[in-house]
Amino acid sequence: MKVRVDQDKCQGHNRCYSLAPELFDVDDFGTAKELNDGVVPPGLEDKARLAVANCPEYAIELIED
Amino acid sequence: MAGIHPPVTDWATDFDHTDPVWAADPYPIWADIRASGCPVAHSERYGGVWLPTRHEDVSAIAYDTDHFTSQSVVVSEGRPMMPAPQGIAPPISSDPPFHHGARRLLLPAFSPKAVAVLEPFTRQYCNELLDAVEGKELVDGAVDYAQHIPVQVIAKMLGFPPEAADTFRMFVHNALEGVDLPVEKRIENFGLLDAYLRAQVDDHIANPRDDLTTFLLNAEMDGEPLNPEHVGGTIALLLIAGIDTTWSAIGASLWHLAKTPADRERLAAEPELLPFAVEEFLRAYAPVTMARLVKDDFEFNGCPMKANEWVLLPFPAANRDPEVFDNPDEVVIDRVENRHAAFGLGIHRCAGSNLARMEMQVAIEVWMDRFGDRFTLADPESVTWSGGQVRGPRQLPITVN
């Protein structure tokens, strides 16, 4: 499973970062970026889904294997 | 406050967001309009104002900076005096491309890491507020508690004297809740705010220090210092935008918990749910409705919008849209999927959202640490709500023990 942030859609709500800091980081301007090329380590799949389901801008894509 | 508008009798064609009926309970109004054949209502008041109620329409307008300007985001009888793209209080009043740089200046000061530094101060202050009502059986969650928290935090960030809290709240009230006043009175009120800010800015020019005011005075955009209207407008924005909004969100959360024993008991037993509960309170009781002005005559989804008409952006209505949220009128404190728009959508997403979330979280946590689940609404009838574009409890008597 992978996650991908569309940085053009991201407006810095920081929901992904606060729900899944293992998977996302944000810069000083709030723009999110996936960590580790977006690869979701085993056991963090639910956190990845949670981050996707809480993005107000629909900016995170979940890519299932 | 004596308004200048008659009471609303037909919400579909003559709505008014300052009407006491809206303030008391706007959700059925929005639900009726949303379910009607015409989910974008129009009213002749304020020189023409539109009201989208579906999430889809609210977000489409928030994203469309070509047809809608942010030059003024507070609906009133008047029209903005400061020209686009800077507007009166950048960046909230700014349009692209000016908006981008004005916003980027501010964002680092409100990043999660910057906000985390303010958490101990906020926690200590919340505890002091509750120490001050120690032993009382009746505590007003709004008057004794919620209203003070954001004032104190933003005063600290701006480097303003903390004892001026009552003065700040008067400015906020005038700017946001005084929209039903004649234009001359509003101009007079803004003059008071302007004079106060000018004195603070002068003091910071004479005595620079490590705070947001000094930062803005020294800041540059495209290699040039900010013009004085930009500095003053941004300071006014920071002072006004964060205060009654966050106060409303904290108050509405306490109101919900005080009237809902099941959620109160569950949150007391499972404090780890708090971050989810905060998001759900933000969704269900989002305090802020924004506004735009129509730039030029334009047809939006069949609505003939005219240049210089207002468009309200009721994010709280979008948050109750059944197309986007399951059981939208139910408060589910562990709601898993929650793409709420309480902080807006698009390029104007609330710059202070991390700060507001921290203040809400700390305020509710400190309150629950103190009272556990031993608090309840004293008298539902005596709770009052602010009207206009920021809605929250202004009197909230709670029995504690």
Side-chain angles (χ1 to χ4, degrees), chain A residues 11-15 17 19 25-26 28-30 50 52-58, chain B residues 63 104 107-108 112 276 279 324 336-340 344-347 349 354 357:
Chain A
Q11 297 293 348
H13 294 259
N14 291 169
R15 296 293 297 128
Y17 173 66
L19 289 165
D25 196 9
V26 287
D28 271 356
F29 307 100
L50 195 60
V52 171
N54 283 273
C55 178
E57 309 284 352
Y58 295 80
Chain B
Y63 288 142
R104 276 179 82 84
L107 289 174
F276 292 89
E279 296 306 317
V324 178
V336 174
E337 178 162 5
N338 197 347
R339 300 174 187 265
H340 72 77
L345 293 166
I347 65 167
R349 185 268 306 168
N354 297 309
R357 284 186 159 110

Side-chain angles (χ1 to χ4, degrees), chain A residues 5-19:
Chain A
V5 178
D6 181 337
Q7 294 203 328
D8 290 333
K9 286 188 180 173
C10 175
Q11 297 293 348
H13 294 259
N14 291 169
R15 296 293 297 128
C16 56
Y17 173 66
S18 71
L19 289 165

Side-chain angles (χ1 to χ4, degrees), chain B residues 326-385:
Chain B
D326 293 336
N327 304 317
D329 292 325
E330 214 175 290
V331 176
V332 183
I333 60 168
D334 59 351
R335 190 179 283 269
V336 174
E337 178 162 5
N338 197 347
R339 300 174 187 265
H340 72 77
F343 293 107
L345 293 166
I347 65 167
H348 287 282
R349 185 268 306 168
C350 170
S353 63
N354 297 309
L355 180 65
R357 284 186 159 110
M358 182 277 282
E359 290 179 22
M360 281 181 77
Q361 182 121 356
V362 169
I364 300 170
E365 210 173 289
V366 168
W367 178 280
M368 298 285 295
D369 280 351
R370 188 72 58 116
F371 301 121
D373 60 1
R374 304 175 309 280
F375 64 98
T376 180
L377 214 50
D379 170 19
E381 297 302 310
S382 63
V383 177
T384 59
W385 295 79

